[in-house]
């Protein structure tokens, strides 16, 4: 049970057909854009329009700002969904919100649409020019590829893999720590980016060693979710402390590292001494798996 895959991850619920094999066909994409059912998610600085924080508010193509439409997916009944960057239109009953605030509240389809739209928006905004020759690239494949007109090179959206690991000791206590930039009461499990030439398991062991100075064994994968804030893919693991459990935090990356039993965590959250991650994050889902259910005082998200 404890090593079975995580069942619910807020940003890994998208279920639309991305039509990856057809989106290179510009005529097909243009026909989708003209489909009277077509809906457009407008994205501005990581935010879009929502109603009641639980549903996306999309507009018709005619009401979207001008710009390259990116195809997000097609529903089983053929309804296409696009995203376009630009100023958010005025829509009665709608308000702006970002993925961090509504990603866990939206339904499966809408969560997937916004996760992809925000990821594409960041990539397009930061990868306008060819990394080989510096020429401005043009958008193709309905927003999923950028092509250099000078040397013909194709560039695909970038995703940075990051490992996040719940480390337990042999007394089944969990390791929680605080990043130096975080509020004083915030705690989470350890995480870090995968380096070139490194397996995920090696990255887990290296990050734990670097951040708190202990070794781990029994590294087990439990699940992943995209984290386009701005461009990560979070890969979640359980691991066991191997040998000494004496924590020696690297003060550049970690402060306040400590072991918590379930009773100690319950008390620390209950008293307000620490705040655990919100349900949007894979960190919360890993901690809940270890804890055996929802954490006390799960914060609003
Ligand atoms: Zn080029």
């Amino acid at each position: 049970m404890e090593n079975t895959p995580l069942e619910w991850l807020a940003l890994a619920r998208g279920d639309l057909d991305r039509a990856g094999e057809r989106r290179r066909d510009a005529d097909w994409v243009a026909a989708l854009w003209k489909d009277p059912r077509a809906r457009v998610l407008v994205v501005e600085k990581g935010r879009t329009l929502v109603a009641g924080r639980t549903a996306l508010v999309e507009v018709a193509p005619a009401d979207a700002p001008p710009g390259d439409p990116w195809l997000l997916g097609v529903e089983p009944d053929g309804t296409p969904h696009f995203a376009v960057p630009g100023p958010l239109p005025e829509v009665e009953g709608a308000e702006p919100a970002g993925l961090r605030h509504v990603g866990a509240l939206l339904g499966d389809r809408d969560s997937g649409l916004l996760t992809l739209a925000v990821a594409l928006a960041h990539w397009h905004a930061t990868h306008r020019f060819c990394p080989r020759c510096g020429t401005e690239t043009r958008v193709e494949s309905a927003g999923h590829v950028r092509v250099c007109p000078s040397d013909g090179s194709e560039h695909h959206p970038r995703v940075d893999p990051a490992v996040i690991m719940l480390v337990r000791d042999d007394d089944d206590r969990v390791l929680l720590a605080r990043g130096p930039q975080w509020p004083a009461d915030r705690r989470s499990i350890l995480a870090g980016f995968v380096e070139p030439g490194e397996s995920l398991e090696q990255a887990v062991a290296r990050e734990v060693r670097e951040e708190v100075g202990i070794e781990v064994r029994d590294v087990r994968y439990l699940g992943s979710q995209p984290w386009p804030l701005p461009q990560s893919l979070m890969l979640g693991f359980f691991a066991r402390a191997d040998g000494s459990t004496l924590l020696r935090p690297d003060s550049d990356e970690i402060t306040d590292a400590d072991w918590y039993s379930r009773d100690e965590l319950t008390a620390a959250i209950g008293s307000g001494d620490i705040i655990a991650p919100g349900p949007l994050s894979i960190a919360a889902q890993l901690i809940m798996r270890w804890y055996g259910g929802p954490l006390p005082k799960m914060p609003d998200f």
Side-chain angles (χ1 to χ4, degrees):
M1 172 62 195
E2 70 177 24
N3 283 339
T4 56
L6 296 172
E7 284 157 21
W8 189 91
L9 288 160
L11 304 186
R13 296 180 288 139
D15 52 5
L16 280 199
D17 175 6
R18 294 179 175 225
E21 72 287 3
R22 299 199 70 184
R23 64 194 177 205
R24 282 183 176 271
D25 181 345
D27 292 340
W28 181 74
V29 174
L32 285 186
W33 182 250
K34 290 189 185 121
D35 189 313
R37 295 170 300 181
R39 308 301 293 161
V40 184
L41 193 62
V42 182
V43 198
E44 182 185 30
K45 294 180 182 155
R47 302 201 303 170
T48 191
L49 293 176
V50 300
R53 300 182 75 201
T54 56
L56 297 177
V57 175
E58 294 169 282
V59 298
D63 298 325
D68 288 315
W70 313 325
L71 179 63
L72 300 178
V74 181
E75 297 204 53
D77 70 0
T79 302
H81 293 266
F82 290 89
V84 170
L88 299 179
E90 290 283 334
V91 178
E92 197 178 333
E95 57 181 351
L99 189 62
R100 199 178 283 279
H101 299 107
V102 297
L105 298 168
L106 296 169
D108 292 353
R109 186 202 72 177
D110 283 3
S111 166
L113 287 173
L114 185 56
T115 302
L116 173 55
V118 167
L120 286 175
H122 174 76
W123 175 63
H124 284 292
T126 55
H127 290 77
R128 277 178 55 202
F129 299 95
C130 175
R132 293 191 186 179
C133 72
T135 304
E136 184 160 5
T137 51
R138 67 167 183 268
V139 176
E140 293 204 353
S141 290
H144 292 261
V145 178
R146 297 187 74 103
V147 177
C148 175
S150 175
D151 58 29
S153 59
E154 289 194 351
H155 306 278
H156 298 264
R158 175 173 162 177
V159 176
D160 297 338
V163 290
I164 180 160
M165 44 278 177
L166 183 144
V167 180
R168 295 172 294 166
D169 69 4
D170 287 336
D171 296 326
D172 207 20
R173 296 182 302 170
V174 69
L175 171 56
L176 298 179
R178 180 171 81 85
Q181 268 60 268
W182 299 358
D185 50 5
R186 171 119 179 263
R187 297 290 184 282
S188 190
I189 54 179
L190 303 182
F193 287 108
V194 180
E195 293 191 346
E198 185 175 57
S199 73
L200 299 177
E201 292 80 1
Q202 288 168 335
V204 168
R206 176 185 53 74
E207 284 288 345
V208 174
R209 190 181 305 124
E210 286 177 2
E211 294 191 345
V212 295
I214 64 170
E215 298 297 320
V216 294
R217 60 180 156 83
D218 299 341
V219 176
R220 298 279 183 272
Y221 172 75
L222 270 84
S224 68
Q225 75 168 352
W227 193 254
L229 304 161
Q231 56 185 24
S232 299
L233 172 66
M234 304 303 297
L235 299 135
F237 294 84
F238 269 12
R240 282 272 183 197
D242 193 20
S244 171
T245 56
L246 178 65
L247 302 172
R248 287 172 282 123
D250 167 6
S251 56
D252 288 342
E253 290 195 62
I254 289 293
T255 60
D256 304 300
D258 221 332
W259 298 100
Y260 294 83
S261 68
R262 288 178 185 76
D263 287 346
E264 286 164 347
L265 184 61
T266 305
I269 295 175
S271 68
D273 284 348
I274 73 170
I275 292 176
L280 185 70
S281 66
I282 189 170
Q285 302 304 322
L286 289 164
I287 297 170
M288 284 162 59
R289 168 61 65 82
W290 163 81
Y291 190 75
L295 300 170
K297 296 208 297 194
M298 201 105 210
D300 280 349
F301 50 95

